[in-house]
Structures are given as structure tokens and as C-alpha cells.
Amino acid sequence: MENKVDIFDTTLRDGEQVPGCRLNTQQKVMIAKSLEELGVDIIEAGFPISSPGDFESVTEISKNVTNPIVCGLTRAVEKDIDCAVEALKFAKRPRIHTGLGTSDQHVFTKLKITREQVIERGVAAVKYAKKFIEDVEFYAEDAGRTDNEYLAKVIEAVINAGATVVNIPDTTGYCIPEEYGQKIKYLMENVPNIHKATISTHCHNDLGMATANSLSGVQNGARQVECTINGIGERAGNTSLEEVVMAIRKHKWLDFTTNIDATQIYPISVLVSETMNMPVQANKAIVGRNAFAHSSGIHQDGFLKNRDNYEIIAPEEVGVEKSSIVLTARSGRAALNHRIAVLGVELTKEELDIVYGKFLELADKLQVIGDKELKILLSTHLEKTLDF
Ligand code: KIV
Ligand code: ZN
């Protein structure tokens, strides 16, 4: 089995469903071009029937990107598919993403039809989409809570109808990694025609498990991961692209690869955050403000001796300029001395002891000591002329 994992970015579709994050066509085209540079394999450009704006964005993105597949979402409804086909007409490599709910919850309380009717509708939608576009992905919405035996029947039927990719969404972020991985394994072992399609993961983050679930899916046979930049998306968000890609890169023994140029990760994270007006939490893995900042004395000392003591990723690897040592009341002498040396001042051990005591007094009052405060501290408490 091939070990290349396709990265399907849905920042512009599932990600953009976040309240207050609506983008105009021009902004979406700009992000789509950056996604192409990043090296994603598939861009889900929007849900064309949902609004004239989304239709226009899918059309313009189709015109403006060359290498990635451009995908449009639909319900399992002919008019949605017609609309997506029209919006994708300029795409060099178009894909229709169609489907419906398969969990009892969705079948009986949302769709209000029978399980057999779900299969019929899914099959009909895939066959209809296939008349216009060869590449058709089917999603079994709420697959995370769908009984595996029934899910296998749905998946077998839609592959027979021509689905090239079968998406197994954990729509409500319900699963834990072992459970989600077992689901993918079950499909690999119990769907006779599964080798004719690629299995895709699409995990939401309601329990904070989206990245772990996606990786578990890949370890059990999935070869496409649906994700968003900064993990944005409905409620607690989607699987974060940067986390999946870096977890794969950092665990070479897993032997999976992606096409992603990791050095583009931080620049596109900033672009998405700024364009969508959606701040990234400071401790967000890989792209948060503190992801490469060291603030406690023990960590700073270890980091200064050898950065590998406290960093598993070099910041440059993901396009972050450099790591930082943040001086706080938890910092030690090593970090303080390092920062003072960066300012061009060499201290004796006795001088450092004096400055360190004064530094702690000030740091207890302030959150962070910057270069400005440090310079004042040095000029006030040392009996020598400093030339900053
Ligand atoms: O979470 C989900 O199930 C989805 C589908 C529409 C693919 O976003
Ligand atoms: Zn989703």
C-alpha cells in the first residue's frame, strides 16, 4: 500500500463556516494560491449552492489554481450537484464531494428516512455526479457515530456506484483514537471493493482528538486527511493541517509522506488568521505565539545548552524565524545572562548575582522583562558605563 498521504484542505469550506470568518472571493483566491504553494493535494473551495458568493469563489479558485484538485461540496441532491458542476467548469482537476448522514441519529431524526433509503440516495448522487465529473468523493456524515456494519454496506454501495474517495467524517468529534482507527480497519477488512477507492479522514475536534484520530485513521489504512489551517472550523474546529503534517514528518518510522512544504506553514497560518480575523491561541501547537518560546528557568538552561533538549521542531522548519527566550520571574541566571550577552554586555559572576536579584524583584511586578527594562536594570545597578 502506498504511503503518500493526500492533504485535503477545507479551510475555505468547513473552516469558513466559523461565525464571523466569512471571506470574499478575492481573499479566498489569495488563500487558495497560498495553499497551492504549500503543496496541498486538494482544495475544498466551497459549497457552491449555499450562496452566490460561494459559487463565485469556487469558480474563481478553479480558474486560479493549477496543481491541486479543486473540490466543491454538495448534498446528495441533483440540484446541488448541477450547481457544483457549473462552478467547477474551469477547474483543471475538478472533484465533487457529495453525501449524507449515515448514523441512526442523522438517519432517523434529521433525514427521517430509512437506512435503505440512505444507501439509495447516496448511490444515486454518486452516479449522477459521475455523469459530469470522474472524481467523486462520498461523505458518510456522522460516520464517527455510525454502526460499522451498516457503514460498510454504505461504503461498498457508493464505491460500486463509482466513488473514487470515501470520506469517513467524525462530524461531531465523538471518537477517541483507537475507536476511529478500528472503524477504518473494519472498513479495510470488510468492504470487498475498498481497494478501488481512497479512504479519507475528516475529524472534528470536540474532544480535542481530531489530530490523533486522523493519524489513527492513517495508521489503519486511510490515505487522505481532511484538515484546515490553524484547525479552524465549526464549534471546536477541524483537524489542524500543521499538526498532522508535522506529526508525520517527526515520526519517520511511521513511513508516511505528504507533499507539504513545511516552511510555508507559519506564513499561511498568519495569512489565514489575519484574513479571517481569527486569532491563533498562544499555546497552539506549531503556529501559536508560544510554540517556540521558552520561559521557565530549567527549560531555558536546557535549551541554551542544546535546543534539542526542549524543541522537537526547529522553528525554521515551519517558517518561524527563531525560537525565543522570554524573561519572566520563572527565568534563571542562564537565560538572563544569555539575553544580557545578546545586548553586548559581559558580566562577572558577582555582577550577574546583583543583576539577577534586582531582575527577580522587577519580574515579580511585571509579566515579561523586555530589552528596554533590562537595559534600565543594568545601567541602574552596575557601576560601569554601558554602551548599548
Ligand atoms: O463534518 C462533516 O461531516 C462534514 C461533511 C459535510 C464532509 O463537514
Ligand atoms: Zn466537517
Side-chain angles (χ1 to χ4, degrees):
M1 195 175 181
E2 241 210 88
N3 283 350
K4 153 92 191 324
V5 177
D6 290 339
I7 298 296
F8 175 116
D9 182 275
T10 183
T11 306
L12 299 174
R13 200 278 297 171
D14 223 346
E16 208 238 6
Q17 290 177 204
V18 177
C21 286
R22 198 126 194 90
L23 300 176
N24 62 37
T25 298
Q26 207 191 349
Q27 291 168 318
K28 284 196 184 178
V29 169
M30 179 172 68
I31 291 177
K33 285 182 173 171
S34 299
L35 288 168
E36 179 167 29
E37 258 182 63
L38 177 71
V40 306
D41 301 280
I42 302 106
I43 296 175
E44 187 160 52
F47 182 9
I49 203 158
S50 66
S51 73
D54 236 35
F55 181 91
E56 186 193 54
S57 300
V58 176
T59 306
E60 291 308 311
I61 290 170
S62 299
K63 288 181 190 163
N64 280 282
V65 304
T66 309
N67 295 319
I69 291 170
V70 179
C71 177
L73 184 79
T74 80
R75 293 166 298 180
V77 173
E78 288 190 1
K79 68 172 190 303
D80 283 30
I81 296 170
D82 290 337
C83 182
V85 169
E86 181 63 20
L88 289 166
K89 73 176 176 214
F90 298 106
K92 285 102 205 150
R93 301 170 68 202
R95 177 183 291 178
I96 294 278
H97 190 190
T98 191
L100 72 171
T102 53
S103 65
D104 284 352
Q105 180 73 39
H106 279 223
V107 175
F108 301 127
T109 77
K110 184 181 127 179
L111 299 168
K112 300 190 173 163
I113 55 176
T114 64
R115 281 181 159 195
E116 290 66 37
Q117 284 171 316
V118 166
I119 297 184
E120 280 162 25
R121 282 194 195 178
V123 164
V126 171
K127 283 192 177 157
Y128 187 70
K130 280 296 259 199
K131 289 188 189 168
F132 310 101
I133 289 177
E134 167 50 32
D135 191 1
V136 176
E137 173 169 341
F138 175 82
Y139 63 86
E141 194 179 4
D142 204 18
R145 292 189 295 173
T146 302
D147 154 55
N148 286 348
E149 220 175 294
Y150 172 64
L151 184 62
K153 284 199 186 115
V154 177
I155 296 304
E156 183 180 352
V158 296
I159 295 176
N160 272 337
T164 44
V165 181
V166 284
N167 179 11
I168 312 301
D170 184 19
T171 306
T172 52
Y174 164 78
C175 290
I176 57 173
E178 195 185 354
E179 190 181 14
Y180 189 75
Q182 286 304 316
K183 192 173 281 292
I184 303 299
K185 188 164 187 263
Y186 184 89
L187 297 176
M188 290 292 287
E189 289 171 355
N190 293 282
V191 175
N193 53 2
I194 197 72
H195 59 281
K196 292 191 182 156
T198 301
I199 299 184
S200 183
T201 66
H202 178 113
C203 298
H204 281 263
N205 205 30
D206 299 65
L207 292 174
M209 306 275 175
T211 298
N213 285 342
S214 303
L215 286 173
S216 181
V218 169
Q219 285 182 276
N220 283 283
R223 288 295 177 271
Q224 177 177 286
V225 171
E226 306 196 3
C227 45
T228 61
I229 303 294
N230 301 334
I232 61 168
E234 294 243 4
R235 306 182 311 279
N238 286 62
T239 302
S240 135
L241 180 147
E242 57 277 9
E243 291 173 14
V244 169
V245 167
M246 292 315 290
I248 287 176
R249 271 175 80 103
K250 290 290 127 182
H251 291 80
K252 298 230 175 346
W253 57 271
L254 287 175
D255 210 21
F256 296 120
T257 59
T258 72
N259 268 349
I260 299 298
D261 172 2
T263 62
Q264 299 298 316
I265 284 178
Y266 185 65
I268 197 166
S269 160
V270 174
L271 176 71
V272 167
S273 162
E274 285 178 356
T275 324
M276 288 195 165
N277 204 9
M278 173 106 184
V280 175
Q281 74 192 56
N283 62 332
K284 167 78 184 64
I286 328 279
V287 291
R289 191 176 71 240
N290 292 347
F292 297 97
H294 305 274
S295 57
S296 80
I298 296 173
H299 287 208
Q300 289 172 334
D301 181 52
F303 171 79
L304 289 170
K305 285 175 177 148
N306 180 339
R307 69 198 253 169
D308 292 347
N309 283 328
Y310 286 98
E311 278 184 353
I312 57 162
I313 299 168
E316 315 84 62
E317 206 179 329
V318 291
V320 173
E321 202 194 326
K322 55 179 174 18
S323 312
S324 56
I325 296 274
V326 184
L327 293 179
T328 70
R330 303 287 155 264
S331 298
R333 281 179 175 71
L336 180 66
N337 201 27
H338 166 80
R339 193 69 224 157
I340 291 172
V342 171
L343 294 177
V345 179
E346 267 195 45
L347 299 184
T348 62
K349 187 178 169 314
E350 290 70 34
E351 286 171 328
L352 180 61
D353 284 344
I354 298 170
V355 174
Y356 185 60
K358 299 293 175 194
F359 160 80
L360 284 183
E361 282 170 28
L362 187 63
D364 263 337
K365 294 190 195 106
L366 303 179
Q367 294 279 352
V368 172
I369 305 285
D371 285 353
K372 192 169 133 233
E373 291 82 18
L374 206 52
K375 284 178 186 174
I376 296 172
L377 209 68
L378 289 168
S379 343
T380 317
H381 299 289
L382 290 181
E383 284 166 4
K384 60 182 178 191
T385 317
L386 299 169
D387 186 20
F388 293 116

